Amino acid sequence: MRESHLTTHLSRDRGKRRQETSPDRSLKVPRQEATNLSENHVRLVQVFLWPVGRQLAPVLQALMQISQRVKPCRHLKYHLQIRQQPVAARACGYGERDRRVIDPPPILELRVTDSSSGGLDWEEMKYNLNVLHCTLWNEAGDAETPVVPDQRRPTRQLMGQVVSSPSVAKDETGMEGCFFCFPDLSCRQPGKYRLRFVLMRIDPLNLPVGGTNPLLAHIMSDVFTVYAAKDFPGMRPSSALTKALKAQGCNIQVKKGNEKRVGKGKSPDDDDDDGDDDGDDSSSKGKGKQGDKHGEVFVLDDGGEVDLDLGNYERYLNITLTRENNITTGKIYQHVIEKERRGDYLGHTVQVVPHITDAIQDWIERVAKKPVDDTNETPDVCIIELGGTVGDMESMPFIEGLVQLRRRAGKNNFLQIHVSYIPVIGGEQKTKPTQQNIKSVRSMGLLPDLIACRCEIPLSDSSIDKVARFCQVEPSQVVGVRDMPSTYQVPMLLEQQGLTELLRDILHLDAAPLTPTTLTSISTSLYERGQQTWEHWKELSIGLERHFEPVKIVLVGKYTELHDSYLSVVKSLEHAAMRCHRKLELTW
C-alpha cells in the first residue's frame, strides 16, 4: 500500500485538507487509514501530537485501528444478568484496611445482541473498555447510601473495588460468556441494602470535549443483610460458578466456608481470613485441615469434646474422665465473670492475680477429689498437664496458678516434672536448649523436681551430668525418655531408671506402709489388682517384640495424612492385635 504524508494541521475549511511536507511536523500513516479518520480524530491529533511529531506515530496507528473495529452503539442492545446474588456480609468497621467481603461476591454476565440480526455480538462483548460500576442503595432501592451518617468527616459506606472490567470465560456448565466480578466489596454499617450496577462504555476516541460516556444498562440486586460481628452467620462455601471463573484466571477468591463451625458454637471472629483459599479446593481436602489443629477430638462419657491427650490418659490408666478434667482459659474466665456478676467479690476489682489464679487452683482441687474409676474412692495422686511453651502469654495465668498451688499444697505434696527435648546434632546430644528452658521456668517461679529428657537415642552419662550440673539437680533426678518400639514399653523404661522410687521419696508415699497386712479389705483387693495389672502390662509389652505373624489393616479416611486424626481407631487396632498376638501392619 502506498503511503502519503498527512499533516497534523487543518485549514479553517473543514472540507479541505492542506498538505505539508515538512519532515519535522509530519507523520506517515497508511492512506486508507488516514481517509477513515473523522474530524474529532484529527482534532485529537492536532491537540496532542503536533508538539511531538513522528515519535507518537505507533500510538496514533493503534488508536486508528481500534476506531475501525468499534461498531456504533446505537445498533446494539445490552443486557445485564446477576448470576450470583449477594446474601450476607459482616460489618467491616471504620479502618481504611478493614475488609469483610460480601458473601457470596456478586457476579454479573453481559450479553450484547445486534438489533438487526438478533445474534450475540462477541466483538462488542470482548471490548475491554466496557466497565461496570457498583453503588450501595437502601433496602427499598430508591436512594443511594454513599457515606456513613453521623460522622464528623464523610466516610464511604461501600468499600473495596467498585469498578469491574469484563472477563470472557466459561461458566460452570461450560458456556462461554462475558462476566464482571466484584471480589472484595464490603460494607461498614449493619443493615439491609441493595447493590446497583451500571454499565458504561468508555470510548476515548469518540468522546467530545466536555462530553460524558453513555450508560448502556443498569440492574439492581436483591436485598442482602450486613450483620454485626456477633450475629454474622459465617461464610458460605464458594459456588461452582466462582470456582470455574477462578480456575480460568478471573479476579475472584475461592472460599471454603465456615457455616458448620459457626453452627457448632464457634464464633466467626475465630476465622479472621473468612476461609480464603487461592488454591484448588479439592486438592486440600485430603490434607486434614480440621485435623491439623491438634489431631482427633476425643469425646468423653459425659459428651465433652476434649484433646486427644485425655483419651491417652483414659486408655493407659483405665479411668473415666469428665469435661471438668479439661481446663481451658475460656472456662476459667467465664467462671470468674459469673462469680463477679453474682457479687461474690463484693464489688472488688477483678484481676488476674489473685482472682484468675485462685479460680485455677480451686478448680484443680475440686476435680482432684472426684472418683475416676469403679472403686468410687478419692484419688491419692492427681496428674496435672500444663501444655504449651514457656513464655507464651496464654499460659502465664496457669503458670502463676501452679506456683501458688505448690505453696497451698504444702511440702511433700507437690511434684513438678519438666519435659524437655534433647536434640542430636552432628552425632552429639545437645543440652543447651534444656538448660535455657529450665532457666526460663525458674524465672517464673516453677522449680522442677524431675527433668524428663525426651531423646531419640539413650541419654548418655555425660549429657545427664551436664543437665544435672547446670540445672542444679541430682543426676538421679534426670530421667531419659528415649524413643521405644511401642509406647506401652515406656512405663517399664521409667521404672528401670527408678522413677517409682523417686516419686515415693519426694511425695512421701511410704509414710503409711503399703503392705497387704495393713490394708483394709477393699484396699487389699485394689493392691492385688494393681499388681496383676502391672504384671499383665509387662507381659503384653515384652511380647510385642515376639510377634512375627503380621495382620495387615488398611485405614481409609479423609485426613489420613495426619495420623493423630484417627488415634482412637489406631489404639483399638493395636489392642486387638496384642490380644491376638499379632504384629499390626497399618496402611494409610
Side-chain angles (χ1 to χ4, degrees):
M1 179 182 298
R2 293 185 306 166
E3 296 182 351
S4 62
H5 293 279
L6 174 65
T7 181
T8 57
H9 173 73
L10 291 181
S11 62
R12 294 182 180 272
D13 187 356
R14 301 175 64 180
K16 298 181 180 180
R17 182 178 300 159
R18 185 179 62 183
Q19 296 188 5
E20 295 180 357
T21 59
S22 173
D24 297 330
R25 299 178 180 178
S26 62
L27 296 174
K28 289 186 177 182
V29 296
R31 179 185 302 274
Q32 183 177 355
E33 294 180 359
T35 56
N36 289 334
L37 290 176
S38 65
E39 294 180 0
N40 287 335
H41 295 165
V42 178
R43 287 195 184 98
L44 187 67
V45 173
Q46 178 185 9
V47 174
F48 293 104
L49 298 184
W50 175 266
V52 296
R54 64 170 59 91
Q55 295 179 359
L56 292 182
V59 178
L60 177 61
Q61 294 178 7
L63 292 176
M64 288 187 295
Q65 291 174 4
I66 295 176
S67 176
Q68 286 184 342
R69 290 199 302 264
V70 174
K71 295 183 179 181
C73 298
R74 60 181 179 271
H75 299 304
L76 304 177
K77 292 184 179 180
Y78 296 79
H79 307 274
L80 287 175
Q81 178 186 3
I82 301 180
R83 292 290 302 272
Q84 186 164 274
Q85 292 278 0
V87 177
R90 172 182 162 188
C92 67
Y94 295 95
E96 288 298 326
R97 297 186 178 181
D98 287 346
R99 292 291 186 273
R100 292 293 184 266
V101 296
I102 296 176
D103 180 48
I107 299 177
L108 290 88
E109 183 178 4
L110 171 65
R111 300 178 69 86
V112 182
T113 57
D114 193 333
S115 59
S116 58
S117 63
L120 293 177
D121 192 319
W122 282 100
E123 187 174 359
E124 176 64 15
M125 290 170 61
K126 295 180 180 180
Y127 182 58
N128 57 5
L129 292 184
N130 284 334
V131 297
L132 197 63
H133 182 255
C134 176
T135 53
L136 188 69
W137 291 59
N138 60 7
E139 182 180 4
D142 54 6
E144 186 180 357
T145 57
V147 296
V148 178
D150 301 330
Q151 294 289 321
R152 293 184 179 180
R153 60 177 183 176
T155 304
R156 289 175 54 192
Q157 177 79 287
L158 185 65
M159 301 298 295
Q161 179 180 329
V162 297
V163 177
S164 178
S165 299
S167 299
V168 178
K170 295 182 179 180
D171 60 9
E172 71 277 16
T173 62
M175 297 295 294
E176 189 174 17
C178 180
F179 298 93
F180 295 85
C181 303
F182 294 85
D184 63 346
L185 294 178
S186 55
C187 189
R188 292 194 184 278
Q189 280 194 327
K192 293 183 179 297
Y193 304 94
R194 289 175 181 264
L195 293 177
R196 186 172 186 265
F197 302 94
V198 177
L199 178 68
M200 63 181 66
R201 188 179 193 280
I202 300 177
D203 189 357
L205 298 181
N206 291 319
L207 180 64
V209 179
T212 58
N213 293 305
L215 303 182
L216 306 178
H218 64 86
I219 191 172
M220 190 78 71
S221 73
D222 294 342
V223 178
F224 67 97
T225 304
V226 179
Y227 295 89
K230 63 179 181 179
D231 301 325
F232 183 55
M235 302 294 292
R236 294 165 176 78
S238 293
S239 62
L241 175 61
T242 301
K243 296 178 181 178
L245 296 180
K246 174 64 177 179
Q248 299 173 73
C250 295
N251 182 23
I252 195 168
Q253 302 298 327
V254 173
K255 308 284 183 180
K256 292 185 180 302
N258 55 11
E259 279 186 310
K260 295 183 179 179
R261 287 180 285 171
V262 173
K264 292 183 179 180
K266 180 175 179 179
S267 171
D269 294 339
D270 297 342
D271 195 2
D272 192 53
D273 61 357
D274 292 333
D276 287 351
D277 179 27
D278 293 338
D280 186 8
D281 183 52
S282 60
S283 64
S284 62
K285 290 182 178 181
K287 295 184 179 180
K289 291 297 182 180
Q290 300 295 332
D292 283 347
K293 303 296 183 180
H294 194 59
E296 72 172 0
V297 176
F298 189 81
V299 182
L300 301 171
D301 286 3
D302 61 350
E305 298 181 359
V306 296
D307 193 270
L308 60 84
D309 292 337
L310 272 74
N312 287 328
Y313 298 147
E314 285 200 350
R315 284 187 288 265
Y316 265 79
L317 303 176
N318 194 22
I319 58 178
T320 301
L321 303 177
T322 64
R323 65 182 67 201
E324 288 195 343
N325 291 94
N326 184 42
I327 308 176
T328 63
T329 303
K331 289 182 179 180
I332 294 297
Y333 275 85
Q334 182 181 9
H335 176 71
V336 172
I337 291 174
E338 290 175 352
K339 291 183 64 176
E340 190 275 335
R341 293 292 88 188
R342 292 196 305 264
D344 294 354
Y345 299 121
L346 302 178
H348 293 288
T349 302
V350 178
Q351 298 174 316
V352 175
V353 180
H355 300 99
I356 298 296
T357 55
D358 286 349
I360 295 173
Q361 298 174 68
D362 295 341
W363 192 302
I364 292 174
E365 289 186 336
R366 183 180 72 255
V367 176
K369 298 177 181 178
K370 293 185 176 182
V372 292
D373 56 12
D374 54 358
T375 64
N376 291 325
E377 291 189 356
T378 302
D380 297 315
V381 178
C382 177
I383 300 176
I384 306 168
E385 177 191 351
L386 177 59
T389 305
V390 176
D392 287 349
M393 183 179 296
E394 58 192 43
S395 61
M396 287 183 178
F398 291 91
I399 292 178
E400 180 62 26
L402 291 182
V403 171
Q404 298 178 13
L405 182 61
R406 174 188 282 271
R407 178 176 175 272
R408 180 189 291 192
K411 189 177 181 180
N412 300 326
N413 289 322
F414 190 94
L415 168 68
Q416 180 189 347
I417 302 177
H418 185 85
V419 181
S420 182
Y421 178 63
I422 303 291
V424 178
I425 302 177
E428 181 183 0
Q429 293 178 336
K430 299 295 183 180
T431 62
K432 185 63 70 174
T434 300
Q435 299 173 26
Q436 296 297 324
N437 202 347
I438 296 297
K439 181 180 179 180
S440 300
V441 168
R442 284 180 170 167
S443 66
M444 296 183 178
L446 290 176
L447 305 175
D449 299 289
L450 297 176
I451 302 176
C453 299
R454 284 285 293 113
C455 48
E456 300 172 357
I457 59 177
L459 197 62
S460 62
D461 294 338
S462 60
S463 298
I464 294 176
D465 292 337
K466 283 184 180 180
V467 173
R469 182 184 307 113
F470 291 102
C471 298
Q472 290 80 45
V473 295
E474 297 295 328
S476 60
Q477 295 176 262
V478 180
V479 181
V481 188
R482 68 176 187 272
D483 291 347
M484 300 293 290
S486 172
T487 56
Y488 301 104
Q489 298 176 354
V490 175
M492 294 184 294
L493 174 66
L494 299 177
E495 185 192 36
Q496 293 172 3
Q497 300 183 65
L499 180 62
T500 305
E501 298 299 329
L502 289 172
L503 296 179
R504 288 180 178 177
D505 294 340
I506 297 175
L507 296 178
H508 287 194
L509 297 179
D510 288 336
L514 296 178
T515 60
T517 58
T518 60
L519 300 175
T520 62
S521 58
I522 298 179
S523 298
T524 301
S525 62
L526 292 178
Y527 180 83
E528 294 176 352
R529 189 171 71 174
Q531 292 296 323
Q532 294 175 0
T533 301
W534 180 237
E535 294 299 328
H536 187 53
W537 186 289
K538 291 192 292 185
E539 179 182 352
L540 288 176
S541 300
I542 296 175
L544 289 175
E545 301 176 356
R546 303 170 185 168
H547 297 163
F548 301 105
E549 186 176 356
V551 53
K552 298 182 180 180
I553 303 295
V554 177
L555 198 154
V556 181
K558 186 177 181 181
Y559 307 113
T560 53
E561 290 191 3
L562 185 66
H563 294 177
D564 280 351
S565 300
Y566 304 93
L567 189 61
S568 295
V569 179
V570 174
K571 294 301 179 182
S572 299
L573 295 174
E574 288 181 356
H575 296 170
M578 292 168 62
R579 178 66 176 175
C580 299
H581 303 286
R582 297 291 187 92
K583 181 180 180 180
L584 177 63
E585 293 183 1
L586 196 59
T587 302
W588 296 84

